[in-house]
Amino acid sequence: MNIKQIWVPIAGVVLVVMAYRGFGWPGVALVASGIVMWVLLHFTRAMKVLERASSRPIGYCDSAVMLNAQLKPGMALLHVVAMTRAIGELLSPKDEQPEIYRWTDAGASHVTCEFQGGKLARWELVRPPGEAPLKSADSPDSPKDTP
C-alpha cells in the first residue's frame, strides 16, 4: 500500500481531533464540512472528465505527437484522460498491473502508455511508416517567399 493513500485519511482525522480540542463541536462541523467540500470537488472533477470522454471514441486523440510532448512520468490516468478527452483503448488484461492504454489519432500515429498503480510509468509514440517528417520554415531545402 502506498503511503499517500494512508496520509490523507490520517490528516483528516488529525484535523477533526484538533478542531474538537480547540473549538469543540462547532470546530468539528467546520472541518468536516471542509473535508466534504474537498471530496466533492475531486468527485466533480472526475465526473466532468469522464463526461467529456464519453462523447468521443475509445482510444482516440486529436494529435498523438502533441500528446507525446505533454506526457510526464507520474501523471495520473485521470489527467491523461482529461488531456485527450477520450478513454484509452485497454491493451493489457483487465485488472492486472501494469495497465497499458493506447490513444490513436486520425493519421494512424499512436501513443502507448503504461500505468503502474494509476501513475504513468512510460510511454511510446509510434508513427506509421512512410510518413514524411515535417519541414520547418528555416530548413535550407524549404521554399522561401522572395519578392
Side-chain angles (χ1 to χ4, degrees):
M1 183 177 248
N2 192 350
I3 191 70
K4 289 181 183 179
Q5 293 174 337
I6 298 171
W7 181 82
V8 173
I10 289 175
V13 169
V14 168
L15 281 173
V16 169
V17 168
M18 288 174 46
Y20 179 74
R21 293 191 78 204
F23 302 101
W25 288 111
V28 170
L30 183 66
V31 169
S33 47
I35 291 171
V36 168
M37 179 62 77
W38 181 76
V39 168
L40 287 174
L41 285 172
H42 284 278
F43 180 76
T44 302
R45 178 178 181 263
M47 289 300 106
K48 275 301 207 190
V49 166
L50 293 175
E51 179 184 355
R52 287 184 192 122
S54 70
S55 63
R56 296 187 71 176
I58 291 177
Y60 178 79
C61 66
D62 292 328
S63 172
V65 175
M66 290 302 295
L67 174 61
N68 179 58
Q70 293 174 346
L71 292 175
K72 295 177 182 65
M75 290 178 82
L77 176 58
L78 184 66
H79 191 103
V80 177
V81 170
M83 285 177 15
T84 61
R85 285 180 252 119
I87 297 171
E89 175 188 0
L90 182 63
L91 301 178
S92 62
K94 188 176 169 133
D95 297 331
E96 286 189 21
Q97 293 294 323
E99 295 176 314
I100 300 173
Y101 291 92
R102 177 178 290 163
W103 284 270
T104 307
D105 65 9
S109 297
H110 64 268
V111 177
T112 305
C113 300
E114 182 178 317
F115 293 89
Q116 188 71 38
K119 301 290 183 181
L120 184 62
R122 59 187 127 300
W123 66 95
E124 177 186 17
L125 170 67
V126 176
R127 300 180 89 174
E131 187 174 305
L134 298 176
K135 294 182 179 182
S136 68
D138 300 334
S139 66
D141 54 340
S142 66
K144 303 252 193 255
D145 290 336
T146 55

